Amino acid sequence: MVLNLVFIFLLAPLFAWGLTSQNILRYQKQAQEKALWQDPQWIKLGHYRKNLFGGYKSPLLGNFFVSENGSEDPKAELFATIELLFNKDTAQKSQCRYLARTSWLKNVLAVDSSDLVSCSERDQWKTQLGAQEIYIIFAASDLSSAGSSFGHTFLRVHNPKNTRELELLDYGINYAAVTGKDTGALYALKGLFGFYPGAYSMLPYYQKIREYTNLEGRNLWEYRLDLSPEQVTFLIDHLLELDGSFAPYYFADDNCSQQILELIEVAKPELNASASFYDVTIPIDTVKELKKHNMLVGEKLRLSLQAEWQTRFTSLNYSQKKALKEIVYAKTQTDLQKLSTKEQAEALEAILSYLAIKEYREEKDLKEEKYPLSVARAKLGPQTEPLQIPNPPSPLFGANSYAFYLGYGKADENEFYRFKYRRTFHDLLSDDSGLSTFSHLEVLSADFRYFSEKQNLDLYQAVLVKILSTSPITELDTPLTWTVDIGTEPRLSPYVNLGAGYSFDFPLFKATRFSFMAVTENYDLADTAQPHFGVEGLLMSKTSFVRSLIYTKYLHNTSQGRGFSEYGIGLSTDVRKSELRLESKVRDNIPEWMISVVF
């Protein structure tokens, strides 16, 4: 009897191993029969992308793949995964490591329940997280920050228990480049050519709010994704198995929005929205693409502290603004005391809003400055109405990031037809919904002109990048207005134009801004440079129907030793989904005008 027990005890591990091996072979046989490595969800789970030769390649690096060739061979990765997950020696650790893979295999294979393990720690964590819904968040662009020029998207994992303001207790899922402290040209070049690793992270949502709406002054738009609670759980499971993995981050294409789309597609593989982006992935374009697929439910705007401050500040009169300046710089309230009670209340509310932003941006504790101002405001009683901040237009209805221009015009009495393609993003006459107001961000465009009399088609201008940032100065802040314009004109003759100055807002129409800059234009850089130095003024305004631009500049041509002027006007309006614009200018006494339709 004892010998029999010893015999059974010795044989038990071998018997268990044999059973494990049989099950692994059985599951692999089922996978083979169903060709599961071609299943869309398995392809999405590996973040595989088809290459030019019909094969697959995943950008993920780190510890994500089980097979040595897993990043390029979905079949090898699938069979290696089955072997790892259902081996008795590794099942506990691997199944709790690869939660989404295990969940998917459990659904597509006839898995014996005895081959599945429990992951109590992770189940408990997910229960506490309580994720039932996921929102995609679009953070508006901010040209004053290079890393924010194109906007940003990330996800919010929502627990239904966190209702109303408690939703700040939700968690945000972000994909971002790990850039360290790099700045300037090094930051841009490394980001463009994929030298930064990109990785997913999960942070409390209130921290994301603090980062975007408080620190950077960017409005947030929130859209609930049309995902079932089961799909939300699957996405969270996959996010957990991505721990320790990363991918090269490219600012232009393989960026935050591309990876967020791929993450959503893991839960809903039939979506395939990420395949719509071939060259550049613009954050707002990805949100619009999700709308096309009916993936967005509702819209919620979360205004920034900057929007509150600007609304309060622009409603103040001259005396109130003067009082604010005195409080901030002289630390006295002499001018404040000269105001009426209601004016004092409005000014104090504005200055408290300003100091709240300053606290975030300068990471200073300003309690000593805020306390006496708060007490002074409280003593005045209920003098003001609740603040009404005008909502900016929804970015979903803004202009496309790319555009085709078809136009007709005359330059020095020569008729021409215009054909222009702008890859991204917008110019001063475009609808700037969801973008920096009165800004110009143009990347990769080509403007051709066909002169009918000469029967000649020429490249008039090609733009590599053109940026104009025009943050207005106030009594309390003096942000710099700047511009950089790099391209070729005429044909392939390179140029670099630069400028810097200041901008001012006026309470006219829907919005009006004036910018004044010192500028330099530098043409023919491949041959004999012709530097020009001068000044430029721009008056930009918009109503609900028309956007307008009036500008004038004076330039001194150093190579010819003479000066000349340029002035022009532009008007644009939206006609259904297109834009109609009229532009006219006179440069060095040579007139030019054109009318264009922008699609």
Side-chain angles (χ1 to χ4, degrees):
M1 182 66 180
V2 173
L3 288 176
N4 287 341
L5 289 175
V6 171
F7 181 74
I8 293 172
F9 177 75
L10 291 174
L11 284 183
L14 295 175
F15 179 75
W17 180 87
L19 191 59
T20 295
S21 178
Q22 287 178 8
N23 282 350
I24 290 172
L25 291 174
R26 179 161 60 89
Y27 299 148
Q28 289 178 337
K29 184 180 178 184
Q30 291 178 31
Q32 179 75 36
E33 291 171 350
K34 295 182 178 181
L36 287 180
W37 60 91
Q38 299 175 2
D39 188 283
Q41 195 143 37
W42 179 250
I43 297 299
K44 297 298 182 185
L45 275 168
H47 293 235
Y48 292 110
R49 302 166 185 174
K50 274 201 170 181
N51 59 34
L52 294 175
F53 306 101
Y56 287 99
K57 176 68 179 175
S58 173
L60 292 179
L61 302 170
N63 60 3
F64 182 72
F65 290 103
V66 178
S67 167
E68 186 178 347
N69 300 320
S71 64
E72 299 179 357
D73 190 341
K75 183 177 181 179
E77 181 66 14
L78 175 62
F79 279 64
T81 298
I82 292 174
E83 186 170 352
L84 180 71
L85 295 184
F86 300 112
N87 186 311
K88 293 294 183 186
D89 295 331
T90 57
Q92 183 66 49
K93 184 178 179 180
S94 59
Q95 288 187 27
C96 295
R97 161 81 170 83
Y98 294 105
L99 287 174
R101 295 190 193 195
T102 304
S103 174
W104 177 72
L105 286 172
K106 189 176 72 173
N107 291 330
V108 295
L109 298 176
V111 177
D112 193 318
S113 59
S114 63
D115 286 334
L116 298 172
V117 304
S118 63
C119 304
S120 56
E121 288 187 7
R122 296 216 159 185
D123 289 343
Q124 187 178 359
W125 180 84
K126 287 193 296 182
T127 300
Q128 291 178 347
L129 183 66
Q132 296 288 308
E133 297 175 346
I134 287 185
Y135 289 71
I136 187 165
I137 315 296
F138 171 68
S141 62
D142 177 15
L143 274 183
S144 62
S145 169
S148 310
S149 301
F150 294 88
H152 180 63
T153 55
F154 61 100
L155 302 177
R156 171 163 70 87
V157 179
H158 180 54
N159 182 340
K161 292 181 179 178
N162 298 335
T163 57
R164 298 185 178 179
E165 291 306 313
L166 288 178
E167 64 197 20
L168 296 180
L169 299 176
D170 286 341
Y171 278 81
I173 300 173
N174 197 40
Y175 183 83
V178 183
T179 61
K181 296 182 179 180
D182 292 341
T183 58
L186 180 63
Y187 169 82
L189 288 173
K190 290 177 71 173
L192 284 173
F193 295 102
F195 285 96
Y196 291 124
Y200 293 98
S201 61
M202 181 177 278
L203 293 170
Y205 188 52
Y206 67 84
Q207 289 189 20
K208 304 302 293 181
I209 295 288
R210 180 180 181 276
E211 178 182 356
Y212 289 106
T213 66
N214 298 350
L215 281 174
E216 299 182 4
R218 300 161 66 180
N219 296 327
L220 298 181
W221 278 269
E222 304 179 351
Y223 305 93
R224 183 167 70 80
L225 292 172
D226 183 23
L227 295 175
S228 67
E230 293 74 21
Q231 289 171 323
V232 171
T233 300
F234 193 79
L235 189 150
I236 299 297
D237 286 347
H238 179 62
L239 191 68
L240 289 171
E241 65 190 18
L242 284 170
D243 184 27
S245 63
F246 60 93
Y249 192 102
Y250 295 85
F251 283 175
D253 49 6
D254 207 349
N255 53 24
C256 60
S257 293
Q258 183 72 26
Q259 290 287 347
I260 286 294
L261 274 186
E262 293 185 5
L263 188 61
I264 296 170
E265 289 171 355
V266 168
K268 201 163 187 172
E270 66 274 21
L271 178 62
N272 209 27
S274 62
S276 302
F277 300 92
Y278 304 102
D279 51 355
V280 178
T281 306
I282 306 295
I284 186 54
D285 286 350
T286 63
V287 182
K288 290 179 179 177
E289 187 66 24
L290 289 170
K291 179 178 171 58
K292 285 182 188 175
H293 288 81
N294 298 315
M295 282 292 295
L296 304 185
V297 181
E299 179 183 77
K300 179 180 178 180
L301 171 63
R302 193 179 293 276
L303 290 164
S304 65
L305 280 182
Q306 184 72 13
E308 178 188 333
W309 154 243
Q310 287 178 340
T311 303
R312 293 189 185 281
F313 181 77
T314 54
S315 65
L316 300 180
N317 59 37
Y318 174 76
S319 299
Q320 289 172 306
K321 291 177 181 177
K322 185 181 175 187
L324 255 60
K325 188 175 181 179
E326 183 195 39
I327 292 172
V328 172
Y329 294 109
K331 310 294 183 187
T332 60
Q333 300 183 14
T334 306
D335 288 332
L336 184 71
Q337 302 304 320
K338 299 175 183 176
L339 302 175
S340 68
T341 305
K342 185 172 185 292
E343 287 176 330
Q344 287 186 42
E346 292 170 343
L348 287 168
E349 288 172 0
I351 193 64
L352 287 169
S353 175
Y354 174 79
L355 292 176
I357 295 175
K358 196 174 178 182
E359 271 190 325
Y360 281 113
R361 292 189 172 177
E362 299 180 5
E363 297 184 350
K364 292 181 178 177
D365 186 350
L366 301 178
K367 288 180 182 175
E368 292 187 4
E369 292 183 46
K370 289 168 62 178
Y371 180 73
L373 297 172
S374 299
V375 172
R377 171 62 191 93
K379 288 180 177 177
L380 296 176
Q383 298 290 326
T384 57
E385 299 293 328
L387 182 66
Q388 299 293 323
I389 304 175
N391 284 348
S394 168
L396 289 179
F397 301 103
N400 291 327
S401 61
Y402 62 91
F404 295 94
Y405 297 62
L406 296 178
Y408 168 80
K410 278 189 176 181
D412 198 18
E413 299 302 319
N414 295 311
E415 291 185 342
F416 66 85
Y417 296 90
R418 181 195 201 189
F419 309 94
K420 178 179 177 179
Y421 172 68
R422 185 190 75 217
R423 177 60 191 91
T424 188
F425 206 116
H426 62 103
D427 58 34
L428 290 176
L429 292 178
S430 302
D431 179 6
D432 54 15
S433 302
L435 307 169
S436 299
T437 304
F438 296 129
S439 63
H440 187 145
L441 176 56
E442 185 172 351
V443 180
L444 299 178
S445 68
D447 192 350
F448 292 91
R449 292 185 178 185
Y450 176 76
F451 290 87
S452 54
E453 188 173 335
K454 301 177 183 175
Q455 296 186 339
N456 183 37
L457 178 66
D458 267 341
L459 174 63
Y460 171 71
Q461 184 186 55
V463 172
L464 176 63
V465 60
K466 182 176 182 178
I467 304 174
L468 172 63
S469 175
T470 65
S471 299
I473 71 170
T474 67
E475 277 77 357
L476 305 183
D477 293 307
T478 54
L480 189 68
T481 288
W482 57 273
T483 183
V484 57
D485 181 7
I486 303 173
T488 67
E489 179 186 347
R491 299 184 181 89
L492 298 178
S493 180
Y495 71 85
V496 175
N497 299 336
L498 305 169
Y502 295 101
S503 297
F504 310 85
D505 272 350
F506 298 95
L508 297 174
F509 307 113
K510 185 178 178 182
T512 299
R513 183 169 296 173
F514 175 73
S515 298
F516 183 79
M517 294 183 291
V519 296
T520 173
E521 295 185 356
N522 304 276
Y523 293 94
D524 295 327
L525 294 181
D527 190 6
T528 303
Q530 297 185 31
H532 297 60
F533 295 95
V535 292
E536 181 176 12
L538 303 97
L539 180 64
M540 303 159 280
S541 68
K542 57 184 178 182
T543 69
S544 300
F545 303 102
V546 178
R547 298 175 289 276
S548 67
L549 165 67
I550 300 173
Y551 73 93
T552 182
K553 68 173 80 170
Y554 178 82
L555 295 167
H556 180 76
N557 187 330
T558 56
S559 59
Q560 298 177 3
R562 71 182 186 91
F564 64 91
S565 61
E566 176 181 338
Y567 50 90
I569 184 172
L571 298 169
S572 72
T573 186
D574 297 326
V575 182
R576 296 188 176 180
K577 293 186 177 180
S578 302
E579 179 186 305
L580 181 65
R581 59 172 63 184
L582 175 65
E583 297 167 87
S584 176
K585 71 175 183 181
V586 176
R587 181 181 172 92
D588 200 8
N589 296 319
I590 298 177
E592 177 183 313
W593 66 267
M594 61 184 160
I595 184 170
S596 306
V597 179
V598 183
F599 302 95

